[in-house]
Amino acid sequence: MSCFILSQDHRFVNAVKPLGVSEVVKPELLSTDHAQELAATNLHFTVAEADQIDYVDFIEQPAPFVSDRLKRIVEKFAPDTLFVPGAFTDLTRRHQEVYWLIVPPRIDCLSVKSDFAPDGSLQRLVVDRAHTGGKMLLQVGGVRERILLMHLALAEALLRRDYNGIRLIRADS
């Protein structure tokens, strides 16, 4: 099984930027262990003002959000992924879009061949495919960074459709 790292395509310089996410969605909450707490959270954010705003299908930072149309395909492949609804509102243009905070299961699937910097940050990700559990979408456990891994079948399904703002990088295994 090939795995791909899901990240935001930063070529979209006008990608929507929700404000105040870090205050509401703490990094420690981004696990399926906190599903009830996340489900009770009000995820309504205003967006940063800009001349043009591109509502991309994936937002990586400060927390992973997917568009409503991307959620529909991901949930078919990864039903064990937690999706928490939220709204991004552009007050100036009086426009609102539905986005979903995405929390895939966290799985320790690092290979011993992975490299770490002296400060503990990951330098080179190598995935042990035997430990991914056949999951279509997962968070890599055992690292400081938030890394979302996607199975080849899901990656192909996304690439066959017209999604924007998504970047897939092949993970070493």
Side-chain angles (χ1 to χ4, degrees):
M1 167 194 95
S2 293
C3 290
F4 293 86
I5 300 168
L6 174 63
S7 64
Q8 185 172 343
D9 186 348
H10 294 287
R11 293 178 296 179
F12 287 83
V13 294
N14 296 318
V16 62
K17 292 175 182 70
L19 302 173
V21 174
S22 300
E23 289 81 37
V24 177
V25 181
K26 304 290 184 204
E28 59 272 9
L29 293 179
L30 293 176
S31 75
T32 50
D33 298 337
H34 297 281
Q36 289 181 329
E37 192 175 344
L38 278 171
T41 305
N42 179 11
L43 300 180
H44 187 229
F45 305 102
T46 56
V47 299
E49 289 187 26
D51 292 335
Q52 177 184 342
I53 298 175
D54 294 328
Y55 288 91
V56 295
D57 290 302
F58 180 68
I59 299 166
E60 188 172 16
Q61 297 294 336
F65 281 93
V66 295
S67 67
D68 195 46
R69 67 189 198 113
L70 180 57
K71 178 218 179 234
R72 283 186 231 125
I73 191 78
V74 171
E75 71 184 343
K76 289 178 184 175
F77 281 84
D80 56 348
T81 297
L82 174 66
F83 295 95
V84 182
F88 293 175
T89 305
D90 182 346
L91 298 173
T92 307
R93 293 177 182 87
R94 295 185 173 152
H95 179 79
Q96 189 172 53
E97 290 283 333
V98 174
Y99 274 81
W100 296 83
L101 177 67
I102 185 170
V103 185
R106 186 180 313 265
I107 298 179
D108 291 326
C109 59
L110 283 178
S111 167
V112 294
K113 298 176 185 173
S114 296
D115 294 328
F116 289 89
D119 67 354
S121 61
L122 186 67
Q123 282 187 316
R124 180 173 166 252
L125 171 68
V126 180
V127 178
D128 184 347
R129 292 185 284 180
H131 289 101
T132 60
K135 300 287 185 191
M136 290 288 162
L137 185 65
L138 60 94
Q139 291 184 69
V140 176
V143 294
R144 225 193 268 181
E145 300 85 351
R146 181 177 43 250
I147 301 172
L148 301 182
L149 276 185
M150 181 178 290
H151 187 280
L152 174 64
L154 178 54
E156 287 177 341
L158 297 184
L159 293 172
R160 278 190 230 110
R161 290 161 178 83
D162 187 29
Y163 294 115
N164 61 31
I166 296 174
R167 183 172 176 223
L168 298 175
I169 304 162
R170 183 181 297 273
D172 293 334
S173 56

